[in-house]
Amino acid sequence: MVKLEREDIFKLTGLLFFATAMGYSESAVVVYLRELYYQDGFHIISELSLKAVPVRILITEAGREVATIIMLISLSMLLARKDWLKRFAYFLFAFSIWDITYYVWLFVLIRWPESLLKSDVLFLIPRPWVGPVIAPILISISFIVISLMILSSKKQILSFKELLKMWKYWVYIFVAIWVIISAFMLWEHRIIYLWNNVIIGIF
């Protein structure tokens, strides 16, 4: 059972509101892009579906995504000035709420996606990732669970040296990320979407 300290609950509540507002901001940008370049609606099939958008706009969008990640990292650093593990937990929580509420707001504003199995361009860095909407939502839910488990464990990593001692866990994380990314790469090339890769990666 997850038991959080009052301070953590307060900070997570603030992150919830912040990330939800960020989700709205990002969905608003997509609404504008749709009005400009996809007036007949989104039909995301592969990376080629982005050809309607000028390259300079895509570069600007990629820059905005980098800025968003920097904002989330900066906020997590402010919430946990010394504890690296808590910073990681706060970042995962905020990132996940941002990602989930982005789709919630999109549905509220333009009734899209009509289904969680609809394809979407999930990220532009380092190149466009295309996959079903439900995949990042499942990943985000798992991130939220992990962040709550970390915060309830009350373990602390107070120095970079201590962080490096956890190298084997970072290996696990990178392997999991690669397994998940491989599912998106194969989907983009219209081979097959490897749900088992996503599930194994989350596990």
Side-chain angles (χ1 to χ4, degrees):
M1 186 176 177
V2 175
K3 290 185 178 180
L4 301 174
E5 294 181 356
R6 183 173 295 181
E7 181 183 357
D8 288 326
I9 293 174
F10 180 77
K11 289 179 178 178
L12 289 176
T13 303
L15 282 174
L16 176 66
F17 288 121
F18 180 86
T20 300
M22 282 186 67
Y24 181 87
S25 297
E26 183 173 6
S27 66
V29 171
V30 172
V31 171
Y32 304 150
L33 290 175
R34 184 190 181 193
E35 288 298 312
L36 289 171
Y37 305 111
Y38 298 91
Q39 294 181 7
D40 296 328
F42 290 122
H43 302 287
I44 305 298
I45 299 174
S46 69
E47 185 178 337
L48 295 175
S49 303
L50 291 173
K51 282 197 169 182
V53 184
V55 174
R56 63 184 179 83
I57 299 298
L58 290 176
I59 293 174
T60 302
E61 270 297 283
R64 185 185 60 78
E65 287 182 350
V66 172
T68 301
I69 299 300
I70 292 173
M71 288 169 65
L72 293 175
I73 292 174
S74 301
L75 185 58
S76 66
M77 291 173 66
L78 290 173
L79 291 176
R81 296 184 180 181
K82 295 181 179 179
D83 192 334
W84 289 76
L85 203 55
K86 275 196 172 185
R87 286 180 188 173
F88 183 58
Y90 289 139
F91 172 78
L92 285 184
F93 183 83
F95 180 92
S96 303
I97 297 297
W98 161 57
D99 204 23
I100 292 172
T101 56
Y102 160 69
Y103 286 111
V104 171
W105 285 121
L106 268 184
F107 185 77
V108 170
L109 294 171
I110 56 176
R111 290 295 183 268
W112 191 92
E114 302 90 349
S115 164
L116 291 177
L117 296 177
K118 273 277 189 181
S119 292
D120 186 26
V121 178
L122 307 175
F123 219 58
L124 294 173
I125 303 169
R127 54 173 299 172
W129 296 12
V130 178
V133 169
I134 193 172
I137 290 179
L138 288 175
I139 294 167
S140 293
I141 291 172
S142 70
F143 279 173
I144 291 172
V145 172
I146 291 169
S147 66
L148 295 178
M149 289 173 65
I150 290 173
L151 292 172
S152 65
S153 71
K154 298 185 174 56
K155 291 181 179 179
Q156 291 185 320
I157 303 294
L158 299 177
S159 70
F160 187 69
K161 189 174 181 180
E162 288 181 78
L163 187 68
L164 290 178
K165 289 180 181 178
M166 300 177 66
W167 64 268
K168 64 180 179 180
Y169 296 106
W170 295 112
V171 171
Y172 297 154
I173 290 172
F174 288 129
V175 169
I177 290 172
W178 173 248
V179 170
I180 291 171
I181 289 175
S182 66
F184 297 111
M185 291 172 66
L186 289 173
W187 176 259
E188 181 184 348
H189 291 90
R190 310 308 296 162
I191 302 173
I192 189 173
Y193 190 79
L194 296 181
W195 280 110
N196 55 311
N197 280 34
V198 174
I199 300 304
I200 290 171
I202 291 173
F203 178 77

